[in-house]
Amino acid sequence: YNWFLDIKMDYLALILPLTNYGTMGFAFNYLHMGEMEVTTTKDPEGTGEKFNASSYIGQFSYGVNLTDRFSLGLSVKYIREIIWNSHADGVAIDIGTLFRTKVEGLNIGMSISNYGTRMQFDGIDSYQPIDISEYEAGNYGDVAGQFRTSQWELPLIFRIGVALKPIANNFMDVKVGIDALHPNNNSESINTGISIDNKIPGFGVLSFRGGMKAIFMDSPQYGATGGFGLKMNYLGNRSIQIDYAFKDIGILGNMHAYTIGLSF
């Protein structure tokens, strides 16, 4: 989908049910942007060269029902970030649980995301000639040197959420959810949303969704979110799903996301 500042993100996922052994999934996430001008202190208007930046995530996930009410899921992710000729690599895991209460339609979930290694940029862009003795005559100006970049932590997030289905019948399902987030790099916040699924006999489901993000966050840039989805049945229990979402990101503008899903 199209993110702010001409940044784009593509996402591809495959989910494989394993009958009595849980569910396995694979996902690939690609964040990229267009080419940009290379600028330096000597050439602030550009050197004539171009560079780009991108991020990749490859993910393997597995989830299983431990009991009829309690489920556990785990994801292992390989992360790679690239800026021109430099890159940073990392590995992280996500782990989550879901508890289905005895109250009909009430579920409670918890998760920890991005628990993993630190990341650090490395590459030929950090190699620069250094004059180790600029006040002395001699061939000191071409000594090979390297900038040592700092390491940084991945954005570790602890999340707890509650979902409730107050209306569930043959014509409509209404779902309400709220998440509380505790990140290591920002203030705590709350996300909330609602989904209204209208069941169309013999065709599928038409859904309308809305919500608010980053409630109580210090200086939030997020506003209201909204969207709709269409799930069309074919060949009995197979379906095609098309979704659209809109998100207000304050001074960074508006974001539009499109998703196509296929069950088989």
Side-chain angles (χ1 to χ4, degrees):
Y1 59 80
N2 295 326
W3 216 15
F4 51 79
L5 300 178
D6 295 326
I7 300 173
K8 295 179 174 59
M9 187 171 74
D10 300 316
Y11 182 79
L12 179 66
L14 175 65
I15 300 173
L16 301 173
L18 302 177
T19 314
N20 297 326
Y21 300 96
T23 301
M24 181 171 60
F26 302 90
F28 179 74
N29 200 328
Y30 176 40
L31 182 74
H32 57 102
M33 58 199 73
E35 289 187 330
M36 294 168 280
E37 292 275 357
V38 175
T39 60
T40 65
T41 54
K42 182 180 178 181
D43 298 295
E45 300 299 322
T47 64
E49 298 174 286
K50 301 281 187 177
F51 80 100
N52 54 41
S54 59
S55 298
Y56 303 83
I57 297 179
Q59 179 175 321
F60 167 78
S61 302
Y62 177 75
V64 62
N65 292 324
L66 299 180
T67 70
D68 61 337
R69 294 188 179 276
F70 186 76
S71 302
L72 176 68
L74 174 71
S75 293
V76 180
K77 303 183 291 188
Y78 169 72
I79 305 165
R80 184 178 182 90
E81 293 198 352
I82 301 172
I83 300 179
W84 205 5
N85 301 308
S86 299
H87 65 272
D89 300 285
V91 177
I93 63 172
D94 301 341
I95 186 168
T97 61
L98 178 65
F99 177 64
R100 302 170 186 86
T101 70
K102 294 183 179 181
V103 178
E104 186 65 28
L106 178 61
N107 298 327
I108 301 174
M110 292 182 291
S111 69
I112 297 176
S113 303
N114 299 324
Y115 180 77
T117 61
R118 289 172 173 262
M119 298 184 67
Q120 182 179 23
F121 274 110
D122 190 18
I124 62 174
D125 295 329
S126 63
Y127 291 87
Q128 298 290 334
I130 298 175
D131 189 346
I132 61 174
S133 186
E134 59 180 320
Y135 300 109
E136 295 183 19
N139 298 324
Y140 299 123
D142 294 326
V143 176
Q146 181 183 13
F147 291 104
R148 182 174 297 173
T149 58
S150 300
Q151 295 183 340
W152 75 91
E153 294 182 346
L154 294 170
L156 184 67
I157 302 174
F158 174 75
R159 178 185 287 109
I160 182 169
V162 177
L164 177 64
K165 190 184 292 186
I167 300 176
N169 54 47
N170 294 331
F171 306 99
M172 177 186 295
D173 286 345
V174 176
K175 305 170 189 174
V176 180
I178 183 169
D179 291 340
L181 282 69
H182 177 74
N184 68 343
N185 62 350
N186 209 329
S187 59
E188 296 175 336
S189 63
I190 290 176
N191 301 331
T192 184
I194 184 173
S195 175
I196 302 174
D197 302 330
N198 301 281
K199 302 175 184 178
I200 306 173
F203 180 78
V205 180
L206 176 62
S207 302
F208 298 95
R209 308 178 183 107
M212 291 291 295
K213 187 173 182 179
I215 302 171
F216 304 126
M217 178 183 286
D218 295 341
S219 303
Q221 288 300 320
Y222 294 100
T225 62
F228 60 87
L230 181 62
K231 182 178 181 180
M232 298 171 286
N233 300 325
Y234 75 98
L235 297 180
N237 60 348
R238 307 293 190 267
S239 65
I240 298 174
Q241 186 162 339
I242 302 173
D243 295 298
Y244 164 78
F246 166 84
K247 183 184 295 184
D248 177 9
I249 316 183
I251 61 174
L252 296 177
N254 300 324
M255 185 192 73
H256 304 272
Y258 311 87
T259 304
I260 298 177
L262 175 66
S263 68
F264 55 90

